């Protein structure tokens, strides 16, 4: 037989994996909806001029491009059709690409539909994205993102609400998490007061690695990025501030008193923590001054969520951005959003055995097919089971009982219904519970009640 | 502002459209599950050698190909890099393509996972597909398919079950439909007895058009495809057989008595109609000998569903295939399946106003934000609403009342909660029902009950 395969870094989802993934998405969606967020979807393909230049040089290289259909060389002159022209050529023969994330398509969506949208716009979006990354363990070329954003409002109630949503989502999963929060304006203030106001990107890029490489290596990197020894020294007490957020914010208020931006950041965080204290959150929320995250479009709050029980990196993260739609010419639309990492959440739930038992809602009753007369009897009973909402099958072939039972086992079907001459003559069914092996003779009504009341229901 | 746009033939789905599409998919899925079908998903990209040659020459041209990432010219010799080599070039610079339908990926899935699958395998799959067709009204380059198949069983119970599923799905939609059924073996038998046994493809391709172009044009086409005048003449009484299926099958039994294949087809249809008569279907099921459908991989039953109230082409169709996985070298796996046309169903439900009113489950209560003190009061009440499962928002900005009310209107929020000094001092809320304009002062518990019991719930 020919070897068939799927592209590297992609996956098939079989029924069991589908059921678990759906549990994850529907749990998240249920919480989003409770807070008034609504779903949108955008096309898998976007025009390349929408995508190019939005993810840095590295990101552009990771875009999957679609070859123009038909005569893809029609716009290419003979003099251009050579190896040295490859960069330009790729743009000439390809106008569209697969979406790389949900953020840029969302920005494009907001700009394109700005006249129909009722702002502030609360949307979520759960769709696959594609990246031509080198595939490796836990990194795929096709994976789902799960983004929730509110756009068109600068209120810190939104940051608060998203933090609460995070708390509720992971509470429903039964996952213990730590929520870390920082503020880009505080980071900017710090850079300012240590006299390196124009080196914010260098500072945050280095700080972002503190968990992975430790403070010493971060300091080394800061110096190698050109920060003065004095500035690096000044930075130490700030990033190692201890105590709870009240204490940290008090200190920062003093340290940053010379920076208008810094003080605004401190005030924003005080307001946000004020909201958070008024509610009863399950997770701990910590002000973490080393939190920077790679993306440099955040302008206010920065949020990151870690599993406390499994070391797997962040399971959710995001922040405030003041210029999402500016890349498409629509200025002054502020938003804040977070993204849930479905693949990592899947791994944590799997590892900690947190998936609910009944997440796989497959068939609940299999009718064994003994022959033509029995088939007829069964067909007269089936509609009542389905009308009662019970997933019910009849084995389609008149196969050996062993084969049919093994089908039931393989599919994890909890109840098997048997009807032979004995049952037909009495107008009953024998119901066998697959886990216990117990068999009972029941009328149709009794059998339906039995299935509905059994613990797998 | 720059003009932003999405590729031709693709669509954004805004919250309203999303809600309606989800209603369609979840209605269909609920029925699939009641019959024991389970979901799978496959990657958007497949290797081109999986896709090429499966959809005919025309289909190959309509595949969206992914440009190889990195140096896509690396495998191309200088002597090959020219215009005349374009066909080969497209294969050299592109190894992957977007899926064109769900059938070929499903066949690939079955072959790849054959050792894990519990046969007979009942699966459904709802995912987008991509075709580089010329976009036009009602034809898109990205659209969802919704396929349900059972593979690994030759029993006609499966054809019966799928017909019943079709009936139940459209009953839930409130759509009136006609189900037409034919059998490829009967068509083959007819070709045989009119002495044109090797012209089956020509005959079915012509017959398939009878609804659109009429019998005269079909006869013309049959002659132009090389059928003898005698054969065309012999064909007429057969395709115009009238009466119910019992009568038609009786006639066919006589006419096809010389064709073993034909008689097998007649027997299959008798068995299927026998099953159908034992159940109480809402839709009418008709044996339609002119039904052939374009795809030529059907080997047994052919099924097509039409809306009786809206002329829009078939809203569902499919059939029995004996060699789905043969293209990948796994022989002798028979299956049967149908595909629901979500876009057309959407249009029919829209046109006949059949979408349920409550299909858009957005926010049910908006709390008006009057100021900081009011905000604090509201934040203490919000959790109770959400705990009761009520989608609840607080307007994030302390904006003018008019603006906040217009947000509620725009989002179709049925209840607005107002809390000012008056309400706070009495620990109550004023709930305004947006449709009637009626206002009531209620405690939190009363307000929650009021919302849960109102007709929008």
């Amino acid at each position: 037989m020919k070897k068939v395969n799927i592209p590297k870094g992609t996956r098939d989802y079989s029924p069991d994996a589908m059921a678990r993934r759906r549990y994850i998405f529907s749990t998240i969606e249920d919480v989003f909806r409770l807070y008034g967020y609504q779903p949108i979807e955008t096309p898998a393909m976007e025009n390349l001029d929408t995508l190019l230049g939005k993810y840095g040089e590295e990101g552009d290289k990771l875009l999957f491009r679609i070859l123009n259909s038909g005569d893809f060389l029609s716009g290419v002159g003979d003099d251009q059709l050579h190896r040295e022209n490859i960069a330009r050529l790729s743009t000439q023969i390809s106008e569209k690409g697969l979406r790389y994330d949900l953020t840029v398509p969302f920005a494009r969506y907001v700009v394109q539909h700005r006249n129909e949208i009722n702002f502030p716009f609360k949307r979520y979006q759960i769709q696959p994205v594609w990246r031509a990354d080198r595939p490796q363990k836990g990194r795929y070329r096709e994976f789902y993102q799960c983004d929730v954003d509110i756009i068109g409002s600068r209120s810190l109630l939104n940051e608060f609400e998203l933090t609460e949503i995070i708390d509720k989502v992971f509470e429903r999963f039964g996952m213990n998490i730590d929520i870390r929060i920082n503020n880009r304006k505080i980071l900017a203030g710090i850079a300012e007061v240590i006299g390196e106001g124009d080196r914010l990107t260098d500072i945050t890029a280095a700080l972002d690695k503190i968990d992975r490489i430790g403070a010493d290596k971060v300091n080394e990197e800061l110096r190698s990025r050109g920060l003065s020894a004095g500035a690096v020294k000044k930075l130490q007490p700030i990033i190692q501030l201890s105590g709870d957020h009240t204490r940290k914010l008090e200190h920062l208020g003093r340290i940053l008193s010379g920076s208008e931006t810094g003080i605004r950041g401190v005030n924003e965080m005080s307001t946000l923590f004020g909201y958070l204290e008024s509610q009863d959150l399950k997770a701990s929320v910590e002000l973490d001054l080393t939190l920077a995250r790679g993306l440099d479009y955040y302008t206010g709050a920065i949020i990151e969520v870690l599993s406390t029980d499994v070391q797997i990196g962040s399971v959710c993260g995001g922040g405030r951005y003041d210029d999402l739609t500016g890349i498409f010419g629509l200025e002054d639309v502020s938003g804040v959003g977070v993204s849930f990492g479905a693949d990592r959440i899947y791994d944590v739930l799997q590892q900690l055995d947190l998936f609910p038992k009944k997440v796989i809602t497959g068939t609940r009753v299999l009718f064994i097919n003994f022959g033509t007369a029995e088939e007829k009897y069964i067909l007269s009973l089936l509609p009542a089971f389905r009308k009662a909402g019970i997933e019910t099958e009849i084995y389609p072939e008149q196969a050996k009982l062993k084969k049919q039972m093994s089908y039931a086992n393989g599919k994890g079907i909890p109840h098997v219904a048997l009807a032979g001459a004995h049952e037909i003559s009495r107008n009953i069914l024998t119901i066998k519970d697959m886990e216990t092996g117990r068999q009972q003779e029941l009328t149709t009504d009794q059998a339906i009640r039995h299935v509905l009341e059994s613990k797998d229901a």
Side-chain angles (χ1 to χ4, degrees), chain A residues 114-373:
Chain A
R114 63 190 177 281
N115 297 323
E116 313 138 35
I117 293 174
N118 190 18
F119 289 100
F121 183 43
K122 303 175 96 168
R123 89 85 172 79
Y124 68 86
Q125 192 168 352
I126 301 178
Q127 290 193 277
V129 302
W130 295 270
R131 296 182 183 180
D133 251 324
R134 190 178 300 276
Q136 48 179 266
K137 193 180 174 309
R139 187 190 288 167
Y140 300 98
R141 293 186 145 187
E142 173 181 76
F143 59 97
Y144 272 73
Q145 287 194 335
C146 179
D147 282 18
V148 59
D149 291 81
I150 174 164
I151 188 159
S153 161
R154 290 179 194 278
S155 165
L156 289 156
L157 266 179
N158 302 311
E159 277 83 344
F160 161 63
E161 182 171 283
L162 289 171
T163 313
E164 206 182 28
I165 284 175
I166 289 168
D167 187 64
K168 290 285 172 292
V169 163
F170 288 104
E171 187 179 358
R172 289 192 182 198
F173 286 139
M175 260 176 76
N176 298 313
I177 52 157
D178 291 322
I179 303 176
R180 298 184 187 180
I181 298 192
N182 197 4
N183 191 300
R184 190 61 166 238
K185 296 193 182 80
I186 294 181
L187 293 174
I190 292 172
E192 222 178 299
V193 300
I194 65 170
E196 301 276 6
D198 53 347
R199 284 240 158 71
L200 181 57
T201 311
D202 288 317
I203 298 172
T204 56
L207 281 184
D208 200 28
K209 301 181 186 161
I210 202 159
D211 276 353
R212 270 169 290 151
I213 64 175
D216 287 351
K217 285 258 161 68
V218 164
N219 290 334
E220 220 169 88
E221 181 165 336
L222 285 168
R223 278 188 297 267
S224 80
R225 282 171 181 267
L227 257 76
S228 73
V232 173
K233 203 176 156 202
K234 271 192 206 155
L235 196 60
Q236 301 313 303
I238 302 175
I239 58 172
Q240 296 190 358
L241 269 183
S242 63
D244 64 6
H245 57 85
T246 319
R247 216 178 121 88
K248 282 183 189 165
L249 288 172
E250 261 172 38
H251 273 286
L252 282 169
R254 280 195 298 276
I255 298 168
L256 301 181
S257 62
S259 157
E260 200 189 314
T261 307
I263 289 299
R264 266 200 288 150
V266 171
N267 290 341
E268 286 182 11
M269 287 298 98
S270 299
T271 306
L272 176 54
F273 276 102
Y275 285 132
L276 288 168
E277 276 161 7
S278 77
Q279 298 292 318
D280 199 20
L281 261 58
K282 192 174 168 284
S284 74
V285 185
E286 197 200 331
L287 176 62
D288 179 357
L289 294 174
T290 66
L291 176 64
R293 291 181 68 86
L295 286 168
D296 53 11
Y297 59 74
Y298 294 132
T299 52
I302 304 169
I303 304 171
E304 186 168 79
V305 182
L306 298 171
S307 158
T308 49
D309 301 317
V310 179
Q311 276 219 323
I312 199 168
S314 83
V315 289
C316 178
R320 161 78 61 180
Y321 41 82
D322 279 340
D323 200 23
L324 179 72
T325 57
I327 46 175
F328 299 116
L330 182 65
E331 306 291 344
D332 223 31
V333 180
S334 185
V336 54
V338 296
S339 181
F340 288 80
D343 283 316
R344 285 184 179 168
I345 293 171
Y346 190 105
D347 289 346
V348 172
L349 296 183
Q350 191 84 302
Q351 204 168 318
L352 302 178
D353 201 15
L354 290 174
F355 279 113
K357 264 262 147 61
K358 52 164 265 176
V359 72
I360 297 160
T361 54
T363 301
R364 285 194 278 169
V365 181
L366 175 74
F367 278 83
I368 298 297
N369 192 337
F370 286 117
T372 309

Side-chain angles (χ1 to χ4, degrees), chain A residues 372-391:
Chain A
T372 309
E374 290 86 351
E375 220 178 70
K376 203 173 161 193
Y377 177 67
I378 292 169
L379 288 183
S380 73
L381 307 181
L382 277 178
F385 281 80
R386 293 185 180 131
K387 198 163 270 175
I390 298 170
E391 298 84 354

